[in-house]
Short mmCIF file of all heavy atoms in Angstrom, two decimals:
data_model
loop_
_atom_site.label_atom_id
_atom_site.label_comp_id
_atom_site.label_asym_id
_atom_site.label_seq_id
_atom_site.Cartn_x
_atom_site.Cartn_y
_atom_site.Cartn_z
N GLN D 1 -0.46 11.40 10.27
CA GLN D 1 -0.10 12.53 9.40
C GLN D 1 1.34 12.50 8.87
O GLN D 1 1.85 13.51 8.41
CB GLN D 1 -0.35 13.87 10.11
CG GLN D 1 -1.79 14.13 10.48
CD GLN D 1 -2.05 15.55 10.92
OE1 GLN D 1 -1.13 16.35 11.07
NE2 GLN D 1 -3.31 15.89 11.13
N ARG D 2 1.98 11.35 8.88
CA ARG D 2 3.32 11.26 8.32
C ARG D 2 3.28 10.97 6.83
O ARG D 2 2.39 10.27 6.34
CB ARG D 2 4.12 10.16 9.03
CG ARG D 2 4.43 10.47 10.49
CD ARG D 2 5.28 9.39 11.11
NE ARG D 2 5.61 9.68 12.49
CZ ARG D 2 6.30 8.89 13.29
NH1 ARG D 2 6.74 7.72 12.82
NH2 ARG D 2 6.56 9.25 14.53
N ASP D 3 4.24 11.52 6.12
CA ASP D 3 4.37 11.26 4.68
C ASP D 3 5.07 9.91 4.50
O ASP D 3 6.24 9.76 4.86
CB ASP D 3 5.17 12.38 4.03
CG ASP D 3 5.37 12.16 2.53
OD1 ASP D 3 4.81 11.19 1.99
OD2 ASP D 3 6.09 12.97 1.92
N ILE D 4 4.37 8.93 3.98
CA ILE D 4 4.93 7.59 3.81
C ILE D 4 5.03 7.20 2.34
O ILE D 4 5.15 6.01 2.01
CB ILE D 4 4.09 6.55 4.58
CG1 ILE D 4 2.62 6.58 4.10
CG2 ILE D 4 4.17 6.79 6.08
CD1 ILE D 4 1.79 5.45 4.67
N THR D 5 5.02 8.17 1.46
CA THR D 5 5.02 7.90 0.02
C THR D 5 6.22 7.07 -0.39
O THR D 5 6.09 6.07 -1.12
CB THR D 5 5.02 9.21 -0.78
OG1 THR D 5 4.02 10.09 -0.25
CG2 THR D 5 4.73 8.96 -2.25
N ALA D 6 7.41 7.45 0.07
CA ALA D 6 8.64 6.77 -0.35
C ALA D 6 8.74 5.36 0.21
O ALA D 6 9.49 4.53 -0.31
CB ALA D 6 9.85 7.59 0.08
N ARG D 7 8.01 5.08 1.26
CA ARG D 7 8.10 3.77 1.91
C ARG D 7 7.42 2.68 1.10
O ARG D 7 7.73 1.50 1.25
CB ARG D 7 7.48 3.84 3.30
CG ARG D 7 7.79 2.64 4.18
CD ARG D 7 7.03 2.69 5.49
NE ARG D 7 7.21 3.93 6.23
CZ ARG D 7 6.57 4.22 7.34
NH1 ARG D 7 5.67 3.36 7.84
NH2 ARG D 7 6.80 5.36 7.97
N TYR D 8 6.49 3.05 0.22
CA TYR D 8 5.72 2.05 -0.53
C TYR D 8 5.77 2.33 -2.03
O TYR D 8 4.78 2.73 -2.65
CB TYR D 8 4.27 2.04 -0.03
CG TYR D 8 4.15 1.62 1.41
CD1 TYR D 8 3.99 2.57 2.42
CD2 TYR D 8 4.24 0.28 1.77
CE1 TYR D 8 3.91 2.18 3.76
CE2 TYR D 8 4.15 -0.11 3.10
CZ TYR D 8 4.00 0.85 4.08
OH TYR D 8 3.91 0.46 5.40
N PRO D 9 6.95 2.09 -2.65
CA PRO D 9 7.07 2.35 -4.09
C PRO D 9 6.19 1.44 -4.94
O PRO D 9 5.90 1.76 -6.09
CB PRO D 9 8.56 2.08 -4.35
CG PRO D 9 9.00 1.16 -3.25
CD PRO D 9 8.20 1.58 -2.06
N GLY D 10 5.75 0.31 -4.37
CA GLY D 10 4.93 -0.62 -5.13
C GLY D 10 3.56 -0.08 -5.51
O GLY D 10 2.90 -0.63 -6.40
N VAL D 11 3.12 1.00 -4.85
CA VAL D 11 1.82 1.59 -5.19
C VAL D 11 1.99 3.00 -5.78
O VAL D 11 1.03 3.76 -5.84
CB VAL D 11 0.88 1.64 -3.97
CG1 VAL D 11 0.53 0.24 -3.51
CG2 VAL D 11 1.49 2.44 -2.83
N ALA D 12 3.21 3.31 -6.21
CA ALA D 12 3.48 4.66 -6.73
C ALA D 12 2.67 5.01 -7.96
O ALA D 12 2.47 6.19 -8.28
CB ALA D 12 4.98 4.79 -7.05
N SER D 13 2.15 3.98 -8.65
CA SER D 13 1.42 4.23 -9.89
C SER D 13 -0.08 4.41 -9.70
O SER D 13 -0.80 4.60 -10.69
CB SER D 13 1.66 3.07 -10.86
OG SER D 13 1.10 1.86 -10.35
N ILE D 14 -0.58 4.38 -8.47
CA ILE D 14 -2.04 4.39 -8.31
C ILE D 14 -2.66 5.70 -8.79
O ILE D 14 -3.84 5.73 -9.16
CB ILE D 14 -2.46 4.10 -6.86
CG1 ILE D 14 -2.00 5.19 -5.90
CG2 ILE D 14 -1.97 2.74 -6.41
CD1 ILE D 14 -2.53 5.03 -4.48
N TRP D 15 -1.89 6.78 -8.82
CA TRP D 15 -2.45 8.04 -9.30
C TRP D 15 -2.89 7.93 -10.75
O TRP D 15 -3.80 8.65 -11.19
CB TRP D 15 -1.43 9.17 -9.14
CG TRP D 15 -0.20 9.03 -10.00
CD1 TRP D 15 0.93 8.35 -9.69
CD2 TRP D 15 0.00 9.60 -11.29
NE1 TRP D 15 1.84 8.45 -10.72
CE2 TRP D 15 1.30 9.22 -11.70
CE3 TRP D 15 -0.78 10.40 -12.14
CZ2 TRP D 15 1.82 9.59 -12.94
CZ3 TRP D 15 -0.26 10.77 -13.37
CH2 TRP D 15 1.04 10.38 -13.76
N ARG D 16 -2.24 7.03 -11.52
CA ARG D 16 -2.63 6.85 -12.92
C ARG D 16 -4.01 6.22 -13.05
O ARG D 16 -4.64 6.30 -14.10
CB ARG D 16 -1.61 5.97 -13.63
CG ARG D 16 -0.19 6.54 -13.65
CD ARG D 16 0.76 5.60 -14.40
NE ARG D 16 2.13 6.06 -14.33
CZ ARG D 16 2.67 6.96 -15.14
NH1 ARG D 16 1.93 7.49 -16.11
NH2 ARG D 16 3.93 7.32 -15.02
N GLN D 17 -4.49 5.55 -11.99
CA GLN D 17 -5.80 4.91 -12.04
C GLN D 17 -6.93 5.84 -11.62
O GLN D 17 -8.09 5.44 -11.65
CB GLN D 17 -5.81 3.69 -11.12
CG GLN D 17 -4.93 2.54 -11.55
CD GLN D 17 -5.02 1.40 -10.55
OE1 GLN D 17 -4.06 1.11 -9.84
NE2 GLN D 17 -6.17 0.76 -10.49
N VAL D 18 -6.59 7.06 -11.20
CA VAL D 18 -7.61 7.99 -10.69
C VAL D 18 -7.87 9.07 -11.72
O VAL D 18 -6.93 9.74 -12.19
CB VAL D 18 -7.17 8.62 -9.36
CG1 VAL D 18 -8.26 9.54 -8.81
CG2 VAL D 18 -6.84 7.55 -8.34
N ARG D 19 -9.12 9.26 -12.07
CA ARG D 19 -9.50 10.30 -13.02
C ARG D 19 -9.50 11.65 -12.32
O ARG D 19 -10.48 12.03 -11.69
CB ARG D 19 -10.87 10.00 -13.61
CG ARG D 19 -10.95 8.69 -14.39
CD ARG D 19 -12.31 8.54 -15.06
NE ARG D 19 -12.42 7.30 -15.81
CZ ARG D 19 -12.97 6.19 -15.35
NH1 ARG D 19 -13.47 6.17 -14.12
NH2 ARG D 19 -13.03 5.10 -16.09
N GLY D 20 -8.40 12.37 -12.41
CA GLY D 20 -8.31 13.69 -11.81
C GLY D 20 -7.73 13.66 -10.40
O GLY D 20 -7.32 12.62 -9.88
N ALA D 21 -7.69 14.84 -9.78
CA ALA D 21 -7.15 14.99 -8.43
C ALA D 21 -8.19 14.54 -7.40
O ALA D 21 -9.38 14.86 -7.52
CB ALA D 21 -6.76 16.45 -8.18
N ALA D 22 -7.72 13.81 -6.38
CA ALA D 22 -8.66 13.28 -5.38
C ALA D 22 -7.93 12.99 -4.07
O ALA D 22 -6.71 12.83 -4.04
CB ALA D 22 -9.33 12.01 -5.89
N VAL D 23 -8.70 12.92 -2.99
CA VAL D 23 -8.21 12.47 -1.70
C VAL D 23 -9.03 11.23 -1.33
O VAL D 23 -10.24 11.32 -1.15
CB VAL D 23 -8.35 13.54 -0.60
CG1 VAL D 23 -7.79 13.01 0.72
CG2 VAL D 23 -7.63 14.81 -1.01
N ILE D 24 -8.34 10.10 -1.23
CA ILE D 24 -9.00 8.82 -1.05
C ILE D 24 -8.54 8.19 0.26
O ILE D 24 -7.35 8.14 0.56
CB ILE D 24 -8.67 7.87 -2.23
CG1 ILE D 24 -9.18 8.49 -3.55
CG2 ILE D 24 -9.28 6.49 -2.02
CD1 ILE D 24 -8.72 7.74 -4.79
N ASP D 25 -9.50 7.69 1.03
CA ASP D 25 -9.20 6.98 2.26
C ASP D 25 -9.15 5.49 1.96
O ASP D 25 -10.00 4.97 1.23
CB ASP D 25 -10.28 7.26 3.32
CG ASP D 25 -9.87 6.84 4.72
OD1 ASP D 25 -8.79 6.24 4.88
OD2 ASP D 25 -10.64 7.13 5.65
N GLY D 26 -8.16 4.82 2.53
CA GLY D 26 -8.04 3.39 2.28
C GLY D 26 -6.99 2.74 3.15
O GLY D 26 -6.60 3.27 4.19
N GLU D 27 -6.54 1.60 2.71
CA GLU D 27 -5.59 0.82 3.50
C GLU D 27 -4.62 0.10 2.57
O GLU D 27 -5.03 -0.48 1.55
CB GLU D 27 -6.35 -0.19 4.36
CG GLU D 27 -5.53 -0.75 5.49
CD GLU D 27 -6.40 -1.15 6.69
OE1 GLU D 27 -7.62 -0.88 6.66
OE2 GLU D 27 -5.85 -1.70 7.63
N LEU D 28 -3.34 0.16 2.93
CA LEU D 28 -2.32 -0.60 2.23
C LEU D 28 -2.30 -2.01 2.80
O LEU D 28 -2.15 -2.20 4.01
CB LEU D 28 -0.96 0.06 2.40
CG LEU D 28 -0.76 1.38 1.65
CD1 LEU D 28 0.44 2.13 2.21
CD2 LEU D 28 -0.59 1.13 0.16
N VAL D 29 -2.46 -3.00 1.92
CA VAL D 29 -2.57 -4.38 2.36
C VAL D 29 -1.68 -5.27 1.50
O VAL D 29 -1.65 -5.13 0.28
CB VAL D 29 -4.03 -4.88 2.26
CG1 VAL D 29 -4.15 -6.33 2.73
CG2 VAL D 29 -4.97 -3.98 3.06
N ALA D 30 -0.94 -6.16 2.15
CA ALA D 30 -0.16 -7.18 1.45
C ALA D 30 -0.86 -8.53 1.64
O ALA D 30 -1.34 -8.84 2.73
CB ALA D 30 1.27 -7.24 1.99
N PHE D 31 -0.90 -9.32 0.57
CA PHE D 31 -1.58 -10.61 0.63
C PHE D 31 -0.57 -11.75 0.51
O PHE D 31 0.41 -11.65 -0.22
CB PHE D 31 -2.60 -10.72 -0.51
CG PHE D 31 -3.84 -9.89 -0.30
CD1 PHE D 31 -3.87 -8.56 -0.70
CD2 PHE D 31 -4.96 -10.44 0.30
CE1 PHE D 31 -5.01 -7.79 -0.50
CE2 PHE D 31 -6.10 -9.67 0.49
CZ PHE D 31 -6.13 -8.35 0.10
N LYS D 32 -0.86 -12.82 1.26
CA LYS D 32 -0.09 -14.06 1.15
C LYS D 32 -1.07 -15.22 1.17
O LYS D 32 -1.88 -15.32 2.09
CB LYS D 32 0.91 -14.19 2.31
CG LYS D 32 1.76 -15.46 2.25
CD LYS D 32 2.76 -15.50 3.37
CE LYS D 32 3.53 -16.82 3.39
NZ LYS D 32 4.29 -17.03 2.15
N ASP D 33 -1.01 -16.04 0.13
CA ASP D 33 -1.94 -17.17 0.01
C ASP D 33 -3.39 -16.72 0.07
O ASP D 33 -4.24 -17.39 0.68
CB ASP D 33 -1.66 -18.22 1.10
CG ASP D 33 -0.25 -18.79 1.04
OD1 ASP D 33 0.28 -18.90 -0.08
OD2 ASP D 33 0.32 -19.09 2.10
N GLY D 34 -3.68 -15.57 -0.51
CA GLY D 34 -5.04 -15.08 -0.59
C GLY D 34 -5.56 -14.39 0.65
O GLY D 34 -6.73 -13.99 0.68
N ARG D 35 -4.73 -14.24 1.67
CA ARG D 35 -5.16 -13.60 2.92
C ARG D 35 -4.29 -12.39 3.22
O ARG D 35 -3.09 -12.40 2.93
CB ARG D 35 -5.06 -14.58 4.10
CG ARG D 35 -5.97 -15.76 4.01
CD ARG D 35 -5.73 -16.76 5.14
NE ARG D 35 -5.99 -16.15 6.44
CZ ARG D 35 -5.07 -15.96 7.37
NH1 ARG D 35 -3.81 -16.29 7.15
NH2 ARG D 35 -5.40 -15.44 8.53
N PRO D 36 -4.86 -11.33 3.81
CA PRO D 36 -4.03 -10.20 4.24
C PRO D 36 -2.98 -10.67 5.24
O PRO D 36 -3.28 -11.49 6.12
CB PRO D 36 -5.03 -9.25 4.90
CG PRO D 36 -6.36 -9.64 4.37
CD PRO D 36 -6.29 -11.12 4.12
N ASP D 37 -1.77 -10.18 5.09
CA ASP D 37 -0.68 -10.60 5.97
C ASP D 37 0.10 -9.36 6.40
O ASP D 37 0.87 -8.80 5.62
CB ASP D 37 0.23 -11.58 5.24
CG ASP D 37 1.21 -12.27 6.18
OD1 ASP D 37 1.90 -11.56 6.93
OD2 ASP D 37 1.28 -13.52 6.16
N PHE D 38 -0.12 -8.94 7.64
CA PHE D 38 0.50 -7.72 8.13
C PHE D 38 2.02 -7.85 8.22
O PHE D 38 2.75 -6.88 8.01
CB PHE D 38 -0.08 -7.37 9.50
CG PHE D 38 0.30 -6.00 9.99
CD1 PHE D 38 -0.21 -4.87 9.40
CD2 PHE D 38 1.20 -5.85 11.04
CE1 PHE D 38 0.14 -3.60 9.84
CE2 PHE D 38 1.56 -4.59 11.49
CZ PHE D 38 1.03 -3.47 10.89
N GLN D 39 2.51 -9.04 8.52
CA GLN D 39 3.95 -9.23 8.62
C GLN D 39 4.62 -9.06 7.25
O GLN D 39 5.71 -8.49 7.16
CB GLN D 39 4.26 -10.62 9.19
CG GLN D 39 3.76 -10.82 10.60
CD GLN D 39 4.31 -9.81 11.57
OE1 GLN D 39 5.52 -9.65 11.68
NE2 GLN D 39 3.44 -9.12 12.29
N CYS D 40 3.98 -9.53 6.20
CA CYS D 40 4.51 -9.32 4.84
C CYS D 40 4.56 -7.83 4.51
O CYS D 40 5.50 -7.36 3.86
CB CYS D 40 3.64 -10.04 3.82
SG CYS D 40 4.00 -11.80 3.65
N LEU D 41 3.55 -7.09 4.96
CA LEU D 41 3.53 -5.66 4.71
C LEU D 41 4.68 -4.97 5.43
O LEU D 41 5.37 -4.12 4.86
CB LEU D 41 2.19 -5.07 5.17
CG LEU D 41 1.98 -3.58 4.93
CD1 LEU D 41 1.94 -3.28 3.44
CD2 LEU D 41 0.70 -3.10 5.60
N LEU D 42 4.91 -5.34 6.68
CA LEU D 42 5.99 -4.73 7.46
C LEU D 42 7.35 -5.04 6.85
O LEU D 42 8.24 -4.17 6.80
CB LEU D 42 5.95 -5.23 8.90
CG LEU D 42 4.82 -4.72 9.79
CD1 LEU D 42 4.93 -5.34 11.18
CD2 LEU D 42 4.83 -3.20 9.89
N ARG D 43 7.54 -6.26 6.39
CA ARG D 43 8.84 -6.68 5.90
C ARG D 43 9.06 -6.34 4.43
O ARG D 43 10.19 -6.46 3.94
CB ARG D 43 9.00 -8.18 6.11
CG ARG D 43 9.01 -8.58 7.60
CD ARG D 43 9.01 -10.08 7.77
NE ARG D 43 9.02 -10.44 9.19
CZ ARG D 43 8.95 -11.69 9.64
NH1 ARG D 43 8.86 -12.69 8.78
NH2 ARG D 43 8.98 -11.93 10.93
N GLY D 44 8.00 -5.94 3.75
CA GLY D 44 8.14 -5.61 2.34
C GLY D 44 8.36 -6.81 1.45
O GLY D 44 8.89 -6.70 0.35
N ASN D 45 7.93 -7.99 1.91
CA ASN D 45 8.13 -9.21 1.12
C ASN D 45 7.23 -9.26 -0.11
O ASN D 45 7.59 -9.87 -1.12
CB ASN D 45 7.83 -10.44 1.99
CG ASN D 45 8.80 -10.57 3.15
OD1 ASN D 45 9.86 -9.98 3.15
ND2 ASN D 45 8.42 -11.34 4.16
N THR D 46 6.06 -8.66 -0.01
CA THR D 46 5.06 -8.73 -1.08
C THR D 46 4.60 -7.33 -1.44
O THR D 46 4.29 -6.54 -0.55
CB THR D 46 3.85 -9.56 -0.60
OG1 THR D 46 4.31 -10.84 -0.14
CG2 THR D 46 2.85 -9.75 -1.74
N PRO D 47 4.55 -6.99 -2.74
CA PRO D 47 4.04 -5.67 -3.12
C PRO D 47 2.61 -5.48 -2.63
O PRO D 47 1.76 -6.36 -2.83
CB PRO D 47 4.10 -5.69 -4.65
CG PRO D 47 5.10 -6.74 -4.98
CD PRO D 47 4.99 -7.78 -3.90
#
């Protein structure tokens, strides 16, 4: 339940892709060489 909006500016534009107001469940994922990479996500190396 923490507000993490400011921590991930790379996805700040996703609201523009949603038609109207919504609550969406999902996962923030960073990819390296075509595979999810949790360390890249933690370090902010990859949007």
Side-chain angles (χ1 to χ4, degrees):
Q1 298 191 353
R2 293 183 179 178
D3 179 4
I4 57 172
T5 313
R7 193 186 306 175
Y8 297 100
V11 295
S13 65
I14 65 173
W15 66 273
R16 299 181 185 276
Q17 293 179 249
V18 183
R19 299 186 180 96
V23 181
I24 299 171
D25 194 354
E27 197 150 355
L28 289 163
V29 181
F31 287 86
K32 181 177 175 62
D33 300 327
R35 296 175 62 244
D37 192 308
F38 190 71
Q39 297 302 306
C40 279
L41 182 65
L42 288 179
R43 295 174 180 176
N45 296 341
T46 306

